[in-house]
């Protein structure tokens, strides 16, 4: 039943207006094109009416603040009488008189971003020195690496407070002091740089007076926006896919600053990586010429001393800062690069480059084509494999898999989805017939209850997490299930800190209780699912008391989760790699699918299944067929009809056998008849894959390795040929985010030196091995893809627009696309959700006397994957420069370890040395190491046991010991 909205009628500046009851005068005025000036107000924030700039005459004794004053029936509003204008002018004069005079800061000297200066111009208020003292002596704060604070320019409008609290949910900014000395405060009036601020920059984007401003990065001055070129694009880091605008100084060819851009998903929000992490592209370490290994540098092996693994006991150290060289193949004179800066923990170019010589593109491409063809001729299709990249565009992923499949007859093509959500995709395909999310992250606003599980979204999907936090403020209950008490736990209604590797037992028990209490949706189960009875029989064995013994979660908490979830009208599960990166990853995801299905929580607004995808284009790369068992759009390579369809489309016979996955390819290289030649496009398995010592052996054993990348990565050290590719900022292409939103990334600047776009390089290799390719542009490739991908039907470069479009989309010209999938049926053959029960199984390597701790690996907010981009970003490296192991205070005390000291972490596969961070966020008996840092590579410790269905490694669980460095060193000497 819908409730009729009461409307009221009034007059604004002579215009009759009809508006819904509760509409403010400011919003009603907009309806008739009347613009009322504001300082403290912005449509994105709840109005507070503190600055009084928007005062209007409503016929009463005093003027009313239009941003907060609701319209009344019959009201007559005048927004620009001489008295109203005079009130605003006086207010502006008072505010301006108190501003510091700065001539070198564009926010203070131009009207581009400074609303107060705009008003000064409008009311002819002089911005020159007045007789009054300027500024109130409240001070400045430069402690943040990329944000300046000038308290004297602050007018206490609270926009930054609302931006930080209400939009990003970070709750950092408040006020301190009294009267004239009142100022905004970070935490307990701490310097911004040492507060809990996460440098999302939302407050800078909000500030109307230049009290909060961006600092220049790499010496590129921040100029007025009207002097800059605005390029609308998408963030290149995580799967949230935030829309942004790069402001480019064309005179020097460098990015000046970045802002969030409105789009239905991200709604102008960004995190620190999107807003400040773009300068990697201007690094002096960019590859600019093709490189060929010189004959004297065979046999191959890792060259940099700090990643030389030596099997058991091989130790890697946190070393001093190195690199920063510009010898062979890395000359780069572009503006914006920091010539003097020496990036930390990166490949030592001085050590590695002498093993290569510069080559022409023709020479390098000819050599690649010849060697790969030779290997193919000698060993057949099984001898060739390729790793593509989820950082590249959809078009590049499509062409790469097409090259491997049509040029070498192999399905041995995979990418980092195997290390991220392959098990989620396996379970989703089996359960609902689609590997994509069933609803968006923004749909959280329609949910009564959400479960966020195996995920640390404030670090890994920060903008999505801001919507989760915002939803909670509006009443959505958050159940957070994770072994680590990450920041989301502070926003949770119920925090379930279960033991790692016990997810199946926990969710089986929740389902046990949901069924026992009759909180299931019988109609949905009867009409929309299959195999419920078997599921019910399985979970019947998981009474909360039994599950409590396995999970460490008390039985009452399990019951509370069951009732909270079961009684919700609409509920969503958002999950991360804490679910997928286990040998039971597929079972974990099966449980989540079952939990949603038996409670009818799929197919309606505010319900559904959402694996939060990691990389910016992991969804798109998977959609485009960069996986060994599927052609584009998840069409099975081993289905005869599908194979015939693609053979017809691509004009060549195709291999009917499923290919090898990432970890299987690495294992295959070590076998006599395995993979001998590899093409690595933008992947760095030396750091990203489990059990690095094994990866090292495999990379060394390859007969031929091509690495195509923007930097000399750890994997490139093993290459025969290295090709310099363009970064994300130097090319056009489409990217598909975690929501299924296909967006255009646009070229921002020219590539350095001879670097070329990935799609063109792949095409050149294809032509050299005889494929008749003649693509002229990424949009042409996109059109070919779309013709073969039913899910992407109707999409084209011309209808994606500035916000992109969700797929499926019946009418992209007029519609944003489908938010909620499966409203009537699932994508399975019979249209039903296939419930697959799972029994709990323990992880593969349990702690013991020698290795008593459980290691969990993952990401930090400031870094991305193997760090090749983020560790070359000034802001991100400055905020998070070193490798650390996180450990509970009791575990540290038991070992006599202190916060900040160097320790050794070792497993059965190797050891690393890094700094100890004592953290209450870890459980006793567990520790956490981010995997971004080559000098303390977490994946030297991890095991390569894989999930049998998704073939994903168990990155989230292996047994380790952490100990004092000194004691261990002396013991081993
Ligand atoms: S940068 Fe972000 S987290 Fe930091 S104070 Fe501003 S809004 Fe808050
Ligand atoms: S949340 Fe993800 S997509 Fe958005 S700005 Fe941050 S890293 Fe980029």
């Amino acid at each position: 039943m819908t409730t009729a909205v009461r409307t009221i009628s009034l007059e604004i500046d002579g215009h009759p207006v009809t508006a819904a009851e509760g509409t403010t005068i400011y919003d009603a005025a907009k309806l008739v094109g009347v613009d009322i000036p504001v300082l403290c107000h912005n449509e994105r924030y709840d109005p507070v009416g503190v600055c009084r700039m928007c005062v209007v005459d409503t016929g009463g004794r005093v003027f009313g603040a239009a941003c907060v004053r609701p319209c009344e029936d019959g009201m007559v509003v005048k927004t620009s009488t001489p008295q109203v204008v005079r009130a605003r002018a006086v207010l502006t004069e008072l505010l301006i008189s108190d501003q510091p005079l700065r001539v070198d800061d564009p926010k203070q000297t131009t009207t581009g971003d400074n609303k107060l200066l705009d008003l000064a111009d409008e009311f002819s208020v002089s911005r020159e020195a007045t007789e009054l003292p300027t500024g109130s002596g409240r001070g400045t704060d430069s402690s943040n690496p990329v944000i300046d604070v000038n308290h004297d320019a602050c007018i206490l409008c609270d926009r930054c407070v609302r931006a930080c609290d209400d939009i990003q949910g970070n709750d950092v900014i408040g006020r301190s002091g009294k009267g004239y000395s009142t100022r905004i405060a970070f935490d307990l009036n701490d310097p911004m740089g040492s507060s809990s601020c996460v440098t999302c920059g939302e407050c800078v984007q909000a500030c109307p007076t230049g009290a909060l401003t961006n600092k220049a990065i790499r010496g590129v001055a921040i100029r007025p926006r009207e002097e800059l070129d605005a390029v609308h694009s998408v963030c290149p880091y995580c799967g949230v896919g935030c829309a942004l605008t790069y402001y480019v100084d064309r005179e020097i060819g460098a990015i000046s600053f970045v802002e969030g851009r409105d789009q239905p998903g991200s709604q102008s929000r960004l995190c620190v990586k999107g807003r400040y992490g773009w300068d990697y592209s201007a690094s002096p370490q960019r590859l600019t010429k093709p490189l060929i290994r010189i004959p004297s540098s065979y046999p191959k092996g890792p060259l940099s001393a700090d990643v030389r693994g030596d099997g058991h006991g091989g130790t890697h150290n946190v070393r001093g800062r190195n690199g920063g060289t510009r010898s062979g193949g890395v000359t780069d004179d572009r503006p914006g690069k920091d010539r003097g800066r020496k990036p930390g923990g990166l490949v030592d170019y001085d050590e590695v480059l002498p093993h290569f010589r510069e080559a022409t593109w023709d020479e390098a491409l000819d050599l690649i084509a010849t060697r790969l063809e030779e290997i193919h001729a000698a060993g057949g299709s099984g001898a060739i494999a390729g790793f593509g990249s989820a950082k590249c565009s959809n078009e590049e992923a499509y062409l790469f898999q097409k090259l491997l499949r049509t040029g070498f007859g192999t399905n041995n093509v995979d990418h980092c989805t195997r290390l991220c959500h392959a098990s989620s995709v396996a379970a989703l395909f089996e359960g609902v017939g689609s590997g994509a999310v069933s609803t968006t992250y923004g749909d959280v606003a329609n949910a009564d209850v959400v479960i966020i599980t195996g995920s640390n979204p404030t670090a890994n999907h920060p903008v999505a997490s801001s919507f989760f936090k915002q939803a909670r403020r509006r009443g959505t209950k958050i159940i957070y299930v994770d072994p680590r008490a990450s920041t989301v736990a502070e926003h949770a209604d119920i925090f379930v800190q279960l033991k790692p590797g016990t997810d199946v037992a926990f969710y089986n028990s929740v389902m046990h209780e949901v069924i026992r209490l009759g909180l299931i949706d019988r109609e949905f189960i009867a009409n929309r699912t299959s195999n419920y009875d078997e599921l019910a029989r399985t979970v019947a064995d998981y009474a909360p008391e039994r599950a409590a013994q396995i999970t460490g979660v008390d039985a009452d908490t399990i019951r509370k989760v069951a009732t909270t979830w079961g009684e919700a009208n609409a509920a969503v599960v958002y999950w991360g790699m804490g679910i997928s990166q286990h040998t039971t990853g597929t079972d974990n995801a099966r449980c989540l699918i079952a939990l949603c299905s038996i409670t009818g929580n799929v197919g309606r607004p505010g319900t559904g299944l959402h694996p939060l995808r990691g990389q910016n284009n992991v969804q798109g790369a998977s959609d485009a067929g960069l996986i060994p068992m599927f052609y584009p759009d998840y069409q099975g390579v081993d289905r005869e009809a599908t194979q015939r369809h693609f053979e017809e489309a691509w004009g060549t016979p195709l291999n009917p056998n499923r290919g090898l996955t990432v970890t299987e390819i690495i294992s295959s290289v070590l076998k006599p008849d395995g993979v001998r030649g590899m093409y690595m496009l933008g992947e760095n398995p030396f750091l990203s894959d489990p059990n690095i010592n094994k990866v090292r052996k495999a990379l060394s054993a390859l007969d031929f390795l091509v690495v195509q990348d923007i930097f000399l990565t750890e994997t490139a050290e093993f290459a025969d040929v290295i090709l310099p590719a363009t970064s994300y900022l130097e090319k056009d292409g489409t990217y598909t985010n975690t929501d299924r939103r296909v967006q255009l990334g646009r070229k921002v600047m020219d590539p350095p030196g001879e670097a070329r776009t990935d799609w063109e390089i792949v095409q050149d290799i294809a032509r050299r091995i005889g494929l008749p390719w003649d693509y002229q542009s990424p949009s042409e490739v996109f059109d070919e893809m779309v013709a073969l991908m039913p899910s992407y039907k109707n999409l084209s470069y011309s209808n994606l627009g500035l916000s992109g479009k969700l797929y499926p989309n019946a009418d992209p010209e007029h519609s944003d696309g489908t938010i909620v999938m499966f409203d009537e049926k699932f994508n399975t053959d019979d249209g039903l959700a296939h419930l697959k029960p799972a029994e709990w199984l323990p992880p593969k390597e349990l702690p013991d006397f020698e290795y008593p701790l459980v290691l969990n690996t993952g990401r930090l907010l400031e870094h991305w994957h193997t760090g090749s981009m983020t560790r070359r970003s000034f802001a991100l490296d400055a905020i998070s420069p070193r490798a650390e192991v996180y450990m509970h205070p009791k575990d540290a005390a038991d070992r006599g370890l202190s916060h900040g000291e160097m320790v050794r972490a070792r497993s059965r596969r190797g050891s690393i040395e890094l700094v100890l961070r004592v953290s209450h966020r870890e459980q006793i008996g567990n520790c956490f190491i981010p995997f971004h840092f080559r000098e303390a590579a977490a994946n030297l410790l991890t095991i390569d046991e894989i999930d049998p269905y998704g073939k994903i490694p168990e990155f989230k669980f292996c047994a380790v010991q952490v100990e004092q460095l000194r004691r261990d060193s002396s013991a081993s000497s």
Side-chain angles (χ1 to χ4, degrees):
M1 192 178 75
T2 52
T3 316
V5 179
R6 185 171 171 261
T7 56
I8 48 181
S9 299
L10 68 159
E11 184 184 300
I12 300 178
D13 288 351
H15 303 281
V17 186
T18 303
E21 188 176 25
T23 305
T24 62
I25 295 172
Y26 177 85
D27 289 337
K30 272 195 168 274
L31 295 176
V32 289
V34 173
D35 217 8
I36 299 173
V38 286
L39 274 176
C40 73
H41 186 54
N42 180 293
E43 283 89 344
R44 299 179 69 215
Y45 319 129
D46 291 338
V48 289
V50 296
C51 79
R52 314 301 291 179
M53 188 58 70
C54 65
V55 289
V56 292
D57 187 345
T58 58
R61 279 191 303 114
V62 292
F63 294 157
C67 72
V68 287
R69 179 86 183 264
C71 298
E72 292 167 24
D73 230 355
M75 191 181 240
V76 176
V77 180
K78 293 177 182 156
T79 71
S80 52
T81 64
Q83 293 81 358
V84 166
V85 172
R86 176 154 171 69
R88 290 182 192 144
V90 169
L91 177 59
T92 304
E93 194 171 0
L94 287 170
L95 291 170
I96 283 286
S97 73
D98 206 23
Q99 288 289 297
L101 284 176
R102 285 173 290 172
V103 291
D104 55 347
D105 182 342
K107 258 195 161 179
Q108 268 68 49
T109 55
T110 74
T111 57
D113 262 356
N114 193 321
K115 302 276 178 292
L116 183 54
L117 296 190
D118 280 344
L119 291 168
D121 281 352
E122 188 178 333
F123 298 119
S124 303
V125 172
S126 170
R127 288 194 259 136
E128 302 306 317
T130 69
E131 289 174 10
L132 295 168
T134 55
S136 52
R138 290 176 294 179
T140 57
D141 177 356
S142 276
S143 57
N144 185 294
V146 285
I147 299 174
D148 258 333
V149 188
N150 187 338
H151 290 286
D152 287 345
C154 173
I155 59 168
L156 296 173
C157 69
D158 273 357
R159 271 168 69 145
C160 63
V161 178
R162 284 170 284 156
C164 185
D165 296 3
D166 300 349
I167 301 296
Q168 291 275 353
N170 292 328
D171 301 332
V172 177
I173 314 184
R175 286 189 184 200
S176 75
K178 283 184 180 170
Y180 201 55
S181 66
T182 305
R183 62 181 213 171
I184 58 163
F186 302 94
D187 291 344
L188 299 173
N189 216 5
D190 296 323
M192 188 184 200
S194 52
S195 71
S196 60
C197 165
V198 292
T199 314
C200 68
E202 187 78 38
C203 54
V204 179
Q205 193 161 327
C207 177
T209 67
L212 291 153
T213 52
N214 291 323
K215 291 180 182 173
I217 292 179
R218 287 182 187 256
V220 178
I222 296 169
R223 293 175 57 194
R225 72 180 61 222
E226 57 268 29
E227 295 171 19
L228 300 170
D229 195 6
V231 182
H232 303 307
S233 193
V234 190
C235 174
Y237 285 108
C238 87
V240 178
C242 298
L244 47 69
T245 299
Y246 293 101
Y247 286 93
V248 188
D249 188 333
R250 290 290 174 213
E251 279 176 25
I252 58 170
I255 294 170
S256 178
F257 65 95
V258 168
E259 271 187 350
R261 188 164 57 79
D262 199 16
Q263 175 244 62
S266 56
Q267 295 179 16
S268 305
R269 305 176 195 186
L270 292 174
C271 78
V272 62
K273 292 191 287 292
R275 196 183 300 275
Y276 299 112
W278 33 264
D279 53 315
Y280 66 88
S281 66
S283 162
Q285 294 202 324
R286 284 291 300 277
L287 294 171
T288 57
K289 285 192 168 76
L291 301 169
I292 292 177
R293 181 177 289 274
I294 57 176
S296 59
S297 290
Y298 287 92
K300 294 186 279 182
L303 299 166
S304 294
D306 58 348
V307 286
R308 271 188 201 119
D310 58 356
H312 290 265
T315 294
H316 296 210
N317 302 308
V318 175
R319 284 173 25 138
R321 298 183 166 237
N322 55 21
T325 65
R326 298 205 296 143
S327 51
V330 287
T331 51
D332 180 6
D333 296 322
R334 293 180 306 157
K337 70 177 187 166
D338 182 351
R339 292 178 179 78
R341 181 168 171 267
K342 292 182 177 298
L346 301 170
V347 172
D348 189 333
Y349 279 43
D350 284 339
E351 191 176 1
V352 176
L353 283 175
H355 296 270
F356 294 85
R357 67 172 173 83
E358 290 180 2
T360 64
W361 271 102
D362 279 340
E363 189 186 5
L365 294 172
D366 286 346
L367 177 61
I368 291 165
T370 304
R371 290 293 292 123
L372 291 179
E373 281 192 308
E374 284 171 0
I375 292 168
H376 183 229
S381 58
I384 301 286
F387 288 175
S389 172
K391 277 265 163 281
C392 288
S393 66
N394 288 325
E395 296 77 10
E396 289 163 341
Y398 173 81
L399 288 187
F400 189 73
Q401 59 86 36
K402 185 176 173 184
L403 171 71
L404 271 289
R405 289 186 159 123
T406 61
F408 300 102
T410 183
N411 289 313
N412 291 342
V413 58
D414 208 356
H415 73 293
C416 65
T417 190
R418 196 64 45 209
L419 313 174
C420 150
H421 266 302
S423 47
S424 307
V425 170
L428 286 166
F429 256 99
E430 170 192 83
V432 299
S434 164
V437 299
S438 82
T439 194
T440 62
Y441 60 81
D443 197 25
V444 67
N446 298 312
D448 302 327
V449 174
V450 296
I451 289 179
I452 301 170
T453 179
S455 169
N456 182 3
T458 46
N460 297 331
H461 302 89
V463 165
S465 82
S466 72
F467 286 91
F468 301 157
K469 290 182 273 186
Q470 201 172 42
R472 181 170 184 247
R473 284 167 194 250
R474 294 171 182 163
T476 301
K477 285 200 174 95
I478 292 181
I479 301 169
Y480 183 50
V481 185
D482 200 276
R484 301 184 70 217
S486 52
T487 323
V488 192
E490 289 151 24
H491 298 265
D493 295 273
I494 307 174
F495 172 42
V496 180
Q497 193 165 22
L498 78 183
K499 289 183 195 166
T502 63
D503 305 81
V504 168
F506 175 75
Y507 288 107
N508 276 353
S509 188
V510 172
M511 285 191 276
H512 170 104
E513 279 299 282
V514 165
I515 292 170
R516 188 183 69 79
L517 295 169
L519 297 174
I520 51 176
D521 185 333
R522 293 180 197 284
E523 194 181 329
F524 192 93
I525 291 170
N527 299 330
R528 304 279 315 266
T529 72
S530 66
N531 208 31
Y532 170 74
D533 291 343
E534 193 186 336
L535 177 83
R537 273 196 298 277
T538 301
V539 302
D541 288 340
Y542 289 83
E545 282 70 19
R546 181 188 168 218
Q549 290 174 356
I550 299 170
T551 62
V553 180
D554 66 89
D556 283 346
T557 300
I558 296 172
R559 288 190 189 99
K560 193 169 164 196
V561 170
T563 48
T564 305
W565 177 270
E567 288 171 359
N569 287 320
V572 192
V573 181
Y574 296 95
W575 74 89
M577 286 165 236
I579 288 293
S580 60
Q581 290 179 337
H582 284 284
T583 47
T584 56
T586 305
D587 283 344
N588 293 347
R590 283 169 172 156
C591 290
L592 301 179
I593 294 165
L595 178 62
C596 281
S597 300
I598 65 172
T599 49
N601 279 310
V602 194
R604 292 179 289 118
T607 69
L609 300 151
H610 191 126
L612 288 154
R613 309 308 299 262
Q615 296 261 23
N616 61 330
N617 199 37
V618 71
Q619 182 67 54
S622 303
D623 294 346
L626 208 56
I627 31 185
M629 52 292 281
F630 295 121
Y631 295 126
D633 213 12
Y634 309 96
Q635 301 176 74
V637 296
D638 46 4
R639 289 189 172 192
E640 207 183 318
T642 305
Q643 189 196 342
R644 274 204 301 278
H645 176 62
F646 276 89
E647 284 180 341
E648 207 168 293
W650 290 341
T652 188
L654 296 170
N655 189 330
N657 302 314
R658 291 179 169 215
L660 300 175
T661 60
V662 163
T663 43
E664 289 171 337
I665 288 169
I666 294 296
S667 297
S668 163
V669 176
L670 297 170
K671 293 176 184 161
D673 297 325
V675 170
R676 309 293 340 134
M678 281 197 73
Y679 184 177
M680 208 78 80
L681 191 163
E683 285 268 296
N684 189 12
F686 190 91
L687 284 191
S688 63
D689 287 20
N691 192 357
I692 282 176
N693 280 314
K694 183 173 169 185
V695 179
R696 175 178 56 81
K697 284 184 194 132
L699 293 176
S700 304
L702 279 168
D703 290 347
F704 190 70
L705 173 63
V706 187
V707 172
Q708 183 171 315
D709 217 310
I710 62 173
F711 294 112
L712 196 58
T713 61
E714 290 73 12
T715 302
E717 295 184 40
F718 298 84
D720 295 271
V721 181
I722 301 171
L723 300 176
T726 43
S727 78
Y728 169 89
L729 292 160
E730 295 145 8
K731 60 189 175 188
D732 292 332
T734 60
Y735 301 83
T736 307
N737 80 354
T738 189
D739 279 351
R740 299 175 261 107
R741 180 174 298 281
V742 185
Q743 301 181 88
L744 268 170
R746 294 175 179 82
K747 182 177 172 181
V748 178
M749 55 182 53
D750 291 329
E754 297 177 20
R756 301 183 60 207
T757 55
D758 293 275
W759 74 268
E760 288 176 304
I761 301 170
V762 172
Q763 170 154 278
D764 275 352
I765 293 172
R767 285 174 173 164
R768 276 173 167 78
I769 64 167
L771 297 175
W773 290 13
D774 188 25
Y775 300 103
Q776 300 297 315
S777 66
S779 69
E780 202 179 305
V781 181
F782 187 75
D783 290 343
E784 179 179 311
M785 282 174 55
V786 169
L788 291 165
M789 297 172 63
S791 300
Y792 280 55
K793 192 174 169 193
N794 306 318
L795 299 182
S796 70
Y797 268 42
S798 61
N799 63 26
L800 289 177
L802 282 178
S803 297
K805 293 285 153 73
L806 296 173
Y807 76 77
N809 195 323
D811 181 13
E813 299 290 344
H814 305 100
S815 161
D816 190 46
T818 306
I819 293 177
V820 177
M821 306 269 288
F822 316 133
D823 53 344
E824 290 178 354
K825 64 185 181 66
F826 292 96
N827 278 6
T828 49
D829 291 343
D830 56 8
L832 301 175
H834 298 164
L835 306 181
K836 181 84 176 175
E839 296 284 2
W840 174 73
L841 294 168
K844 293 293 180 191
E845 186 183 66
L846 297 172
D848 57 16
F849 182 74
E850 192 180 356
Y851 299 101
L853 296 168
V854 173
L855 172 66
N856 184 357
T857 63
R859 299 189 195 123
L860 300 176
L861 167 65
E862 295 82 8
H863 285 293
W864 193 259
H865 272 231
T866 61
S868 60
M869 289 159 65
T870 52
R871 300 196 74 190
R872 288 177 172 95
S873 150
F874 165 74
L876 305 176
D877 187 48
I879 297 169
S880 179
R882 68 183 187 185
E884 294 175 322
V885 51
Y886 294 59
M887 180 185 272
H888 190 276
K890 180 174 184 311
D891 284 329
D894 288 350
R895 288 164 174 73
L897 303 175
S898 311
H899 181 81
E901 78 168 282
M902 286 292 292
V903 295
R904 170 171 295 154
R906 61 182 170 85
S907 75
R908 289 183 175 83
R909 291 151 294 280
S911 71
I912 56 176
E913 294 168 11
L914 69 180
V915 176
L916 176 70
R917 176 184 283 247
V918 174
S919 163
H920 281 93
R921 298 195 184 278
E922 310 311 314
Q923 284 186 56
I924 293 172
N926 295 272
C927 60
F928 173 78
I929 301 178
F931 71 97
H932 316 291
F933 299 90
R934 96 181 226 127
E935 63 274 35
N939 280 324
L940 259 172
L941 310 179
T942 51
I943 54 171
D944 54 353
E945 293 281 351
I946 57 174
D947 172 272
Y949 309 98
K951 310 284 175 77
I952 198 168
E954 189 146 61
F955 286 118
K956 298 292 185 194
F957 200 113
C958 73
V960 298
Q961 176 60 294
V962 177
E963 59 206 1
Q964 221 166 33
L965 194 55
R966 205 168 356 98
R967 186 197 315 142
D968 188 72
S969 301
S970 59
S972 62
S973 62

